[in-house]
Amino acid sequence: MLTPFIAAKTARPQMLRARIRRQRLYDALEAAVRCPLTVVCAGAGWGKTVLVSAWADTRRTPVAWLTLDAHDNDVQLFWASVAAALRAAGAVPPDSALAELGAVPSDHVERLRHLARGLGQLSAPTVLVLDDFHEITDEDVLAELSGLLRHPPPGLRLVLLTRSQVALPLHRMRATGEVAEIRSGELAFTAAEAADLLARHGLALPADEVAALVEHTEGWAAGLQLGATFLAGPDGPRTVADFAGDVRAVDEYLADEVLSGQSPHLYRFLLHTSICEHVCGDLADAITLGSDGQRTLEELERVNDFVIRLGAKPQWFRYHHLLRDMLRHRLLLECPTMLPELHRRAAGWHAAHNSIFEAIEHAVAAGDWAYVGRLVVTQAAPLIASAHRAALSRLLRQIPPTEFAATPELRVCVALLLFDAGDYDAIPAQLAGAAELLRDRTEAQRLPAELTLGSLRVAVHRAGGDMPEVVAETTRLLAMLAKVRFAEVPSAVQYRAIALNNKGFGLLWTGRPDRAQRYLWAASTAARAAGVELVEISALGHLALLEVMSGSVQEAARLATGARDLAERRGLMSALQTGSVHLALALVHLERDDLAAAQRALQQAMRAHRGEPAVAQWLVRLGVQARLALAHGDPRAARAFLHEARRDADAGLSAPALDRWLLLTESEVDLATGAAETVAHRYAVLARRHRLTSPERVCAARAGYAVHDLRRAEELLAGLRAPLSETAATVAARIVGAQVADAAGYGLQAADRLADAFALADQEGIHRPFLALRDARLDALVARQNLLPHRNAEFVAEILAGMRAGTPLHRPALPAGQLSERETEVLRFLPTMLTAGEIAGELGVSVNTIKAHMRSIYRKLEAPRRRAVVARAREYGLL
């Protein structure tokens, strides 16, 4: 839904009273829009807007309109307004990337990719008109628009209306015929067109008089309009010779002819409402303290060509640039002391109608810095954690530094600017100063500012990784929010969603996953209701991380994919809050052994984290990088990432669950490099202080299996809690259980456990545990499964092929030397029921020779009996 202000900017101006049909220019425009770009360039009053608006009425395909102003010199706001204009024109299909784009990505590459995709999905050939393009001076906006024109979408034609030469590199487009230009020479009225215009004013002049008027005005549309009004004036007969008609006389003429005949009430109405770029009846009433704003505007539009209706319905209006400039100059001269009060009234109206940026702009224009602070605290502050962050920061930077210490709300504005700059160390001093200034206020008066102070404290604790403080501060915040009335603090719903998300985040990393899950679900629901999509994306991303770190891959994939799709629709793929989504997806892809997809998700996470100091997500990212390196068979690189994580961990970091997840990653690297005894000791010590999680128990069982402590491995696996449905942790537990059972000589039990692992893994498409836990025994077990009738036969064959295509297994050296070729032949008979004599008969040698080989095998495998020899041989991959 468009805000009232955006609705005005995207409405096509309607100037019905003086409109005439200029077919030659309609034809020129029709020919021009066959090119990707059309530039209509002429000074003020040459009729650019009137012409193109009238021409748009003749077209059957969509014409989107956007009236620009100085506030559009923000690359995100500019493209968000363009998307809104295209939607308002009906050019955007429901499934388009632009269909729900409330704010465009802050990342340059992501923004261009998203826009290119959306502009390539327009429902019909569309003309996009950018009126007052001369207002655009921002280098980023101009550079991205130039990039778009280098590869223009086939279904889009761009028309720029500008008073001056556009700051775009048009030389290449001129050389290739890709730009059409219409200038003042073409816009100048002919005598026939001027006669038509005069006739609309009830004037029928001789041809020579019409020619003289055209000559005097040089065909300038505004001059002709002024001349027609002058000649039709009520003061008796006037001649063309009496009308000067040049640009220098416009101000005087507007003052004498448009304003002088108005009543004092109407004159004040025009003067006071000229502070607004766009005005509606309700806003006019708020500014003038009257009650007839709508009737007055409609009447002015009916009798005056300098008041322009925006859109088909008479809701929003604007004054012609020439008239507005003159009115503002008059207002400054005649009522300088009224200006601040008029801007305050406009700010109040916009604040009440959820146009918070316009409200702050008027408050800034009023120089009412205390009011600016109150608007920020009660309505705008949560936007610092949104896609509107840059726009809010630009407004806050307009506050004079000398005013910052005046009120607690202005101190909050300083803290918000520090948050934007990433200077978290400097924020507490500003918060302390604000809290000191609040001491003399009542509890109700303090509450709005204290909500922002609490939210900023949470941001500081979260950035430093102090999760217990995050939980404690958000608990206090939620208690305060329970006392807030929405009418007093309209942003309370956003504050609540943010607080719920932060509390879930803190609970996740302090090791309370069940409570974290409840708060994160509540946050996603509250964020959706409050319209803060970045918070919803963050909550869903952390829910996905919680699931995948617990081993629940399918649920993690569902949550992360939903959050990613939401970010994609909103153009927020590179926002900081999507980092958890990309990291969760990277871990999901790792479990499914899609290493290329995992790498892409990791790169997207790195783009989202760029320049942000939040330590928890930084450490998760390093952990994912370590896991990806290990999956690629590079444990040295994995250790380097883990070393970087330990080095970069802030001294104030307190995130026990994150520490244990990184320790689990380190343990998996240790197992891959043969340091199983280290892992076994590590988890034996940890188990005495904490209850091991399912992934930790599986890791410890792997260590027990690797050091031949099969009893301990069985105990760890037997002690697993009832797992969540369909988890990677359960798959890994079944695989390790199969290895342990086979090593203990329980082949049927091993086969059953491995069959269970395959059935569960097939449901989720999980591959990684089979590759990560691979040894000679697992190779043999999987090969045997592949020979059995199996409901998951295709999946078993796929896993077996992946294992065989992987890195060849390193065969460990035997304690007392390698087996000879003949000893290896004898070993293959030992798992059977054949006696030494029967083996001798099979091989065609004497029984004494077989017994000698068996003694040598026992010695080399350090096993006293035949059954133990078979178990050790399987451990070493010899059977």
Side-chain angles (χ1 to χ4, degrees), residues 339-344 347 360-369 371:
L339 262 174
E341 178 58 26
L342 295 175
H343 279 295
R344 269 192 291 270
I360 296 174
E361 285 165 1
H362 279 291
V364 167
D368 191 339
W369 308 115
Y371 186 34

PDB file of all heavy atoms in Angstrom, residues 339-344 347 360-369 371:
ATOM      1  N   LEU A 339       7.058  30.991   9.559  1.00  0.00           N
ATOM      2  CA  LEU A 339       7.574  29.806   8.886  1.00  0.00           C
ATOM      3  C   LEU A 339       7.761  28.613   9.827  1.00  0.00           C
ATOM      4  O   LEU A 339       7.308  27.501   9.515  1.00  0.00           O
ATOM      5  CB  LEU A 339       8.893  30.139   8.179  1.00  0.00           C
ATOM      6  CG  LEU A 339       8.796  30.448   6.694  1.00  0.00           C
ATOM      7  CD1 LEU A 339      10.144  30.902   6.159  1.00  0.00           C
ATOM      8  CD2 LEU A 339       8.311  29.239   5.917  1.00  0.00           C
ATOM      9  N   PRO A 340       8.424  28.758  10.975  1.00  0.00           N
ATOM     10  CA  PRO A 340       8.617  27.590  11.853  1.00  0.00           C
ATOM     11  C   PRO A 340       7.296  26.959  12.278  1.00  0.00           C
ATOM     12  O   PRO A 340       7.170  25.736  12.293  1.00  0.00           O
ATOM     13  CB  PRO A 340       9.387  28.167  13.048  1.00  0.00           C
ATOM     14  CG  PRO A 340      10.067  29.379  12.506  1.00  0.00           C
ATOM     15  CD  PRO A 340       9.131  29.952  11.497  1.00  0.00           C
ATOM     16  N   GLU A 341       6.296  27.813  12.602  1.00  0.00           N
ATOM     17  CA  GLU A 341       5.020  27.266  13.043  1.00  0.00           C
ATOM     18  C   GLU A 341       4.317  26.512  11.922  1.00  0.00           C
ATOM     19  O   GLU A 341       3.726  25.443  12.132  1.00  0.00           O
ATOM     20  CB  GLU A 341       4.122  28.389  13.556  1.00  0.00           C
ATOM     21  CG  GLU A 341       2.739  27.940  14.001  1.00  0.00           C
ATOM     22  CD  GLU A 341       2.769  26.880  15.095  1.00  0.00           C
ATOM     23  OE1 GLU A 341       3.757  26.820  15.852  1.00  0.00           O
ATOM     24  OE2 GLU A 341       1.797  26.097  15.178  1.00  0.00           O
ATOM     25  N   LEU A 342       4.388  27.038  10.691  1.00  0.00           N
ATOM     26  CA  LEU A 342       3.769  26.354   9.552  1.00  0.00           C
ATOM     27  C   LEU A 342       4.416  24.980   9.330  1.00  0.00           C
ATOM     28  O   LEU A 342       3.731  23.989   9.082  1.00  0.00           O
ATOM     29  CB  LEU A 342       3.895  27.210   8.291  1.00  0.00           C
ATOM     30  CG  LEU A 342       3.142  28.549   8.302  1.00  0.00           C
ATOM     31  CD1 LEU A 342       3.469  29.339   7.042  1.00  0.00           C
ATOM     32  CD2 LEU A 342       1.633  28.325   8.402  1.00  0.00           C
ATOM     33  N   HIS A 343       5.743  24.933   9.417  1.00  0.00           N
ATOM     34  CA  HIS A 343       6.432  23.654   9.245  1.00  0.00           C
ATOM     35  C   HIS A 343       6.094  22.691  10.387  1.00  0.00           C
ATOM     36  O   HIS A 343       5.971  21.472  10.161  1.00  0.00           O
ATOM     37  CB  HIS A 343       7.937  23.872   9.162  1.00  0.00           C
ATOM     38  CG  HIS A 343       8.417  24.309   7.812  1.00  0.00           C
ATOM     39  ND1 HIS A 343       8.323  23.514   6.702  1.00  0.00           N
ATOM     40  CD2 HIS A 343       8.985  25.479   7.393  1.00  0.00           C
ATOM     41  CE1 HIS A 343       8.823  24.148   5.652  1.00  0.00           C
ATOM     42  NE2 HIS A 343       9.229  25.346   6.039  1.00  0.00           N
ATOM     43  N   ARG A 344       5.922  23.211  11.603  1.00  0.00           N
ATOM     44  CA  ARG A 344       5.546  22.336  12.716  1.00  0.00           C
ATOM     45  C   ARG A 344       4.168  21.715  12.476  1.00  0.00           C
ATOM     46  O   ARG A 344       3.941  20.540  12.756  1.00  0.00           O
ATOM     47  CB  ARG A 344       5.540  23.126  14.034  1.00  0.00           C
ATOM     48  CG  ARG A 344       6.877  23.083  14.774  1.00  0.00           C
ATOM     49  CD  ARG A 344       6.749  23.629  16.192  1.00  0.00           C
ATOM     50  NE  ARG A 344       6.494  25.060  16.181  1.00  0.00           N
ATOM     51  CZ  ARG A 344       7.439  25.996  16.196  1.00  0.00           C
ATOM     52  NH1 ARG A 344       8.721  25.635  16.233  1.00  0.00           N
ATOM     53  NH2 ARG A 344       7.143  27.276  16.190  1.00  0.00           N
ATOM     54  N   ALA A 347       4.540  19.069   9.934  1.00  0.00           N
ATOM     55  CA  ALA A 347       5.206  17.908  10.540  1.00  0.00           C
ATOM     56  C   ALA A 347       4.215  17.091  11.360  1.00  0.00           C
ATOM     57  O   ALA A 347       4.208  15.858  11.314  1.00  0.00           O
ATOM     58  CB  ALA A 347       6.363  18.375  11.413  1.00  0.00           C
ATOM     59  N   ILE A 360       9.738  14.548   9.798  1.00  0.00           N
ATOM     60  CA  ILE A 360      11.038  14.999  10.313  1.00  0.00           C
ATOM     61  C   ILE A 360      11.603  16.118   9.441  1.00  0.00           C
ATOM     62  O   ILE A 360      12.189  17.080   9.960  1.00  0.00           O
ATOM     63  CB  ILE A 360      12.013  13.813  10.406  1.00  0.00           C
ATOM     64  CG1 ILE A 360      11.499  12.776  11.427  1.00  0.00           C
ATOM     65  CG2 ILE A 360      13.407  14.275  10.796  1.00  0.00           C
ATOM     66  CD1 ILE A 360      12.312  11.503  11.485  1.00  0.00           C
ATOM     67  N   GLU A 361      11.416  16.037   8.124  1.00  0.00           N
ATOM     68  CA  GLU A 361      11.924  17.096   7.236  1.00  0.00           C
ATOM     69  C   GLU A 361      11.298  18.444   7.575  1.00  0.00           C
ATOM     70  O   GLU A 361      11.983  19.473   7.603  1.00  0.00           O
ATOM     71  CB  GLU A 361      11.640  16.721   5.781  1.00  0.00           C
ATOM     72  CG  GLU A 361      12.563  15.631   5.247  1.00  0.00           C
ATOM     73  CD  GLU A 361      12.051  15.016   3.971  1.00  0.00           C
ATOM     74  OE1 GLU A 361      10.980  15.458   3.478  1.00  0.00           O
ATOM     75  OE2 GLU A 361      12.703  14.097   3.446  1.00  0.00           O
ATOM     76  N   HIS A 362       9.998  18.448   7.818  1.00  0.00           N
ATOM     77  CA  HIS A 362       9.342  19.716   8.184  1.00  0.00           C
ATOM     78  C   HIS A 362       9.798  20.188   9.563  1.00  0.00           C
ATOM     79  O   HIS A 362       9.969  21.400   9.788  1.00  0.00           O
ATOM     80  CB  HIS A 362       7.824  19.556   8.142  1.00  0.00           C
ATOM     81  CG  HIS A 362       7.241  19.657   6.762  1.00  0.00           C
ATOM     82  ND1 HIS A 362       7.208  20.836   6.052  1.00  0.00           N
ATOM     83  CD2 HIS A 362       6.686  18.717   5.953  1.00  0.00           C
ATOM     84  CE1 HIS A 362       6.638  20.628   4.875  1.00  0.00           C
ATOM     85  NE2 HIS A 362       6.325  19.356   4.782  1.00  0.00           N
ATOM     86  N   ALA A 363       9.987  19.254  10.495  1.00  0.00           N
ATOM     87  CA  ALA A 363      10.480  19.651  11.818  1.00  0.00           C
ATOM     88  C   ALA A 363      11.878  20.239  11.725  1.00  0.00           C
ATOM     89  O   ALA A 363      12.216  21.207  12.424  1.00  0.00           O
ATOM     90  CB  ALA A 363      10.459  18.446  12.762  1.00  0.00           C
ATOM     91  N   VAL A 364      12.719  19.651  10.847  1.00  0.00           N
ATOM     92  CA  VAL A 364      14.062  20.205  10.610  1.00  0.00           C
ATOM     93  C   VAL A 364      13.948  21.593  10.010  1.00  0.00           C
ATOM     94  O   VAL A 364      14.661  22.532  10.408  1.00  0.00           O
ATOM     95  CB  VAL A 364      14.868  19.262   9.695  1.00  0.00           C
ATOM     96  CG1 VAL A 364      16.131  19.957   9.184  1.00  0.00           C
ATOM     97  CG2 VAL A 364      15.238  17.982  10.435  1.00  0.00           C
ATOM     98  N   ALA A 365      13.046  21.773   9.025  1.00  0.00           N
ATOM     99  CA  ALA A 365      12.860  23.088   8.406  1.00  0.00           C
ATOM    100  C   ALA A 365      12.384  24.108   9.428  1.00  0.00           C
ATOM    101  O   ALA A 365      12.715  25.299   9.333  1.00  0.00           O
ATOM    102  CB  ALA A 365      11.861  22.981   7.254  1.00  0.00           C
ATOM    103  N   ALA A 366      11.620  23.627  10.410  1.00  0.00           N
ATOM    104  CA  ALA A 366      11.157  24.538  11.467  1.00  0.00           C
ATOM    105  C   ALA A 366      12.267  24.876  12.454  1.00  0.00           C
ATOM    106  O   ALA A 366      12.144  25.835  13.228  1.00  0.00           O
ATOM    107  CB  ALA A 366       9.990  23.901  12.215  1.00  0.00           C
ATOM    108  N   GLY A 367      13.351  24.103  12.426  1.00  0.00           N
ATOM    109  CA  GLY A 367      14.418  24.317  13.398  1.00  0.00           C
ATOM    110  C   GLY A 367      14.003  23.918  14.797  1.00  0.00           C
ATOM    111  O   GLY A 367      14.602  24.344  15.787  1.00  0.00           O
ATOM    112  N   ASP A 368      12.955  23.108  14.906  1.00  0.00           N
ATOM    113  CA  ASP A 368      12.461  22.666  16.205  1.00  0.00           C
ATOM    114  C   ASP A 368      13.140  21.337  16.540  1.00  0.00           C
ATOM    115  O   ASP A 368      12.599  20.253  16.349  1.00  0.00           O
ATOM    116  CB  ASP A 368      10.945  22.501  16.150  1.00  0.00           C
ATOM    117  CG  ASP A 368      10.321  22.312  17.535  1.00  0.00           C
ATOM    118  OD1 ASP A 368      11.063  21.923  18.459  1.00  0.00           O
ATOM    119  OD2 ASP A 368       9.114  22.541  17.681  1.00  0.00           O
ATOM    120  N   TRP A 369      14.337  21.441  17.082  1.00  0.00           N
ATOM    121  CA  TRP A 369      15.166  20.256  17.276  1.00  0.00           C
ATOM    122  C   TRP A 369      14.616  19.343  18.361  1.00  0.00           C
ATOM    123  O   TRP A 369      14.744  18.113  18.261  1.00  0.00           O
ATOM    124  CB  TRP A 369      16.600  20.678  17.571  1.00  0.00           C
ATOM    125  CG  TRP A 369      17.105  21.629  16.535  1.00  0.00           C
ATOM    126  CD1 TRP A 369      17.466  22.929  16.695  1.00  0.00           C
ATOM    127  CD2 TRP A 369      17.246  21.344  15.129  1.00  0.00           C
ATOM    128  NE1 TRP A 369      17.826  23.494  15.497  1.00  0.00           N
ATOM    129  CE2 TRP A 369      17.704  22.538  14.514  1.00  0.00           C
ATOM    130  CE3 TRP A 369      17.030  20.233  14.335  1.00  0.00           C
ATOM    131  CZ2 TRP A 369      17.951  22.639  13.154  1.00  0.00           C
ATOM    132  CZ3 TRP A 369      17.271  20.319  12.970  1.00  0.00           C
ATOM    133  CH2 TRP A 369      17.731  21.503  12.390  1.00  0.00           C
ATOM    134  N   TYR A 371      11.486  18.827  18.898  1.00  0.00           N
ATOM    135  CA  TYR A 371      10.417  18.080  18.223  1.00  0.00           C
ATOM    136  C   TYR A 371      11.012  17.007  17.315  1.00  0.00           C
ATOM    137  O   TYR A 371      10.479  15.892  17.229  1.00  0.00           O
ATOM    138  CB  TYR A 371       9.533  19.049  17.437  1.00  0.00           C
ATOM    139  CG  TYR A 371       8.309  18.427  16.812  1.00  0.00           C
ATOM    140  CD1 TYR A 371       7.625  17.385  17.437  1.00  0.00           C
ATOM    141  CD2 TYR A 371       7.816  18.900  15.603  1.00  0.00           C
ATOM    142  CE1 TYR A 371       6.495  16.824  16.856  1.00  0.00           C
ATOM    143  CE2 TYR A 371       6.686  18.350  15.019  1.00  0.00           C
ATOM    144  CZ  TYR A 371       6.027  17.311  15.656  1.00  0.00           C
ATOM    145  OH  TYR A 371       4.915  16.757  15.075  1.00  0.00           O
TER     146      TYR A 371
END
